[in-house]
Amino acid sequence: MPTSAIRLVRLTGRLLLALAAVVALVVVFLALIALTDGAGSGLAAWLATLGTGSVLALWRGRRRTWPARLVPFLPVVVAAALTAAVCVPTAPTARRHPPALAFVSTQHWNLATGSRVAVYHYPPASPGPRHPVPFVYLHGGPIRGISVQDHTFLQLLARQGHDVYAYEQAGGGRSDLLPMDQYTISRAVRDLAAFVDRLDKGKVDILGFSGGAVVLTRALADPGAAARLHRAIIAEPGPMDGPTAHIAGHKGRASAQGLAPDPTGPRSTHVPRYAVAFGLMRLGLLTPDTGLIGQAEGDNAFTAADLGSDTASAYCARDAHRMPSEDTAQNFSFSPAASLRVQQTVKDSPSIAPLLRQSRTPAMLMIAECSSQVRQWATATLADDPAVQRTQYMPGVGHHLWNGLDDNNDRAAAVITAFLQDKPAPLPNYPTRDEIPAFMRDHK
């Protein structure tokens, strides 16, 4: 073999070894991030990796002449430069709340629980009859802001005579943050009860959507919270407790997930720091209270595009190429760490079925045809809550029941208003408790 070819082979081998060393150090860094829970914004893991790499480089170069001793340090320098980006914040570390909305004023209420929440009020805007019971909306998320699309739907309800109130759960939107260990599903229920007390208008009607429906379901199983509720609408609920959360069952008909165009706009997950932080949190390798990124920094960094195909999963497949914009970049707010923390407290909670079976608050369940939620999350509520008076299976819509397409908002509002006014349902009462097995079989 020619001398030049031998040199090329040797050079290639050295480059591959150097590359392998870089990869190994990056893997060590990520492992240390997980082991230290991101302590010191990741600097503890970075310094330990740098130290480990330097010791190995010294050992590898111990028999070389002086200039050659520096060569083993090259992978250490490259790995240090790559991993340093994970330790440097690029988003503000103090919470930046979304700017004020132009169409509704934001109030801030201090609740008896210690939470300070952003509140929105849409008084009845109809010249016709007004519903005498205040209406409260519990948004999904769980820890996120109320979208502009949801605000539009609340305005529609106000035009139909409802006195509408909504608040962003602590840590979401324009509400103040909580210490991470205070984000629990039980705290959310206590905040709901405290909000109704602060409203001071007697019992209220409540619409809980998705994560908000979980809060509402658990409130129905809490005699103290349930005493504050007049009527309850459970729309597309998530799992209500640990046993329900561990159900791996059927979902609704095909959603737009995988069919809709990829969301546009900046993504925090294109930045190494937030890709590592959010990725490891989602895998359970970092705690929500990780030292890698603070709660406020994570909230500031997270964008609507980071939700990826999760948004598309809330729409039917037929709507994949006409999905509306749910929110504006300025109004969007989501707390990934706090949301994971609340979801974990649901998974860790015991069954609430025995308490839910004692509920006497009149309730209605809303289920979407193309729901991305596990069907048993909804049917478990139907089976265990004897006060669910009607179920409304909503054809032609996905998880986000009111989405601004066609007449979907009007149909959802008609179902809600009919129940709250104790009028005949616009849709059949389906499924009933007896029909749950057939519903599970026929609506996959």
Side-chain angles (χ1 to χ4, degrees):
M1 182 181 292
T3 303
S4 59
I6 294 174
R7 289 176 179 172
L8 180 60
V9 170
R10 288 176 177 174
L11 178 60
T12 302
R14 289 170 183 169
L15 288 174
L16 289 174
L17 285 173
L19 179 60
V22 171
V23 172
L25 286 171
V26 170
V27 170
V28 168
F29 171 74
L30 294 176
L32 289 172
I33 285 284
L35 289 172
T36 62
D37 199 26
S41 195
L43 285 173
W46 187 80
L47 290 172
T49 303
L50 183 60
T52 301
S54 297
V55 169
L56 291 174
L58 285 170
W59 183 80
R60 289 184 61 204
R62 69 190 185 283
R63 295 179 181 176
R64 302 184 184 187
T65 59
W66 169 241
R69 289 183 182 180
L70 298 177
V71 174
F73 282 91
L74 182 59
V76 180
V77 173
V78 173
L82 290 173
T83 54
V86 177
C87 305
V88 180
T90 58
T93 56
R95 182 70 175 108
R96 289 189 175 179
H97 296 287
L101 293 165
F103 49 82
V104 64
S105 62
T106 305
Q107 305 173 50
H108 284 92
W109 289 7
N110 294 313
L111 304 182
T113 55
S115 298
R116 187 170 185 266
V117 297
V119 181
Y120 309 93
H121 181 210
Y122 293 103
S126 169
R130 297 186 176 186
H131 195 61
V133 180
F135 179 98
V136 175
Y137 176 61
L138 283 176
H139 63 82
I143 310 298
R144 67 180 299 171
I146 298 175
S147 70
V148 170
Q149 191 176 90
D150 280 3
H151 277 289
T152 299
F153 183 65
L154 297 179
Q155 291 171 328
L156 172 60
L157 293 174
R159 290 195 298 271
Q160 296 188 353
H162 298 283
D163 189 16
V164 179
Y165 290 85
Y167 70 94
E168 288 166 324
Q169 296 176 42
R174 296 166 184 82
S175 295
D176 286 2
L177 305 180
L178 295 175
M180 189 59 69
D181 62 358
Q182 293 186 26
Y183 289 108
T184 66
I185 191 63
S186 298
R187 173 61 173 265
V189 173
R190 293 196 301 272
D191 279 352
L192 169 59
F195 178 83
V196 177
D197 290 344
R198 174 66 172 78
L199 183 60
D200 196 25
K201 292 192 174 184
K203 290 188 175 184
V204 300
D205 292 329
I206 295 196
L207 165 63
F209 166 66
S210 191
V214 177
V215 177
L216 177 54
T217 302
R218 294 182 70 96
L220 293 171
D222 181 321
R228 296 166 169 86
L229 311 183
H230 179 252
R231 284 183 172 244
I233 301 166
I234 304 165
E236 279 288 286
M240 62 184 180
D241 53 25
T244 311
H246 290 93
I247 292 175
H250 303 302
K251 296 185 178 181
R253 299 222 164 102
S255 76
Q257 192 169 32
L259 301 174
D262 290 335
T264 58
R267 295 191 182 199
S268 69
T269 47
H270 288 170
V271 179
R273 178 173 176 82
Y274 306 113
V276 169
F278 297 144
L280 293 182
M281 270 193 277
R282 189 157 190 173
L283 291 172
L285 299 176
L286 285 180
T287 67
D289 201 17
T290 175
L292 182 57
I293 59 170
Q295 178 187 173
E297 182 189 349
D299 293 3
N300 292 334
F302 202 87
T303 69
D306 285 323
L307 292 174
S309 61
D310 284 355
T311 300
S313 70
Y315 293 83
C316 289
R318 66 178 72 94
D319 297 325
H321 296 284
R322 61 166 193 156
M323 282 169 43
S325 174
E326 293 194 346
D327 211 348
T328 64
Q330 294 75 24
N331 185 64
F332 177 81
S333 172
F334 185 83
S335 179
S339 291
L340 285 173
R341 164 79 181 160
V342 172
Q343 291 169 20
Q344 189 61 50
T345 65
V346 173
K347 293 177 182 178
D348 293 342
S349 67
S351 173
I352 65 168
L355 293 171
L356 191 58
R357 292 185 189 117
Q358 300 175 32
S359 175
R360 296 296 179 266
T361 304
M364 177 178 73
L365 181 64
M366 296 177 71
I367 304 176
E369 177 185 4
C370 310
S371 178
S372 56
Q373 307 287 78
V374 174
R375 289 296 195 195
Q376 286 93 329
W377 295 348
T379 57
T381 302
L382 176 60
D384 292 329
D385 185 352
V388 173
Q389 297 179 345
R390 63 176 75 168
T391 303
Q392 300 286 266
Y393 176 74
M394 307 292 292
V397 292
H399 179 57
H400 210 147
L401 297 162
W402 41 89
N403 54 33
L405 295 175
D406 305 326
D407 64 344
N408 293 337
N409 283 21
D410 291 327
R411 289 195 298 130
V415 163
I416 290 167
T417 298
F419 173 69
L420 295 181
Q421 295 181 354
D422 201 20
K423 293 182 178 179
L427 298 171
N429 178 26
Y430 174 77
T432 63
R433 289 176 187 83
D434 293 340
E435 293 171 323
I436 290 176
F439 175 77
M440 297 300 300
R441 182 181 64 248
D442 297 339
H443 292 276
K444 298 180 182 179

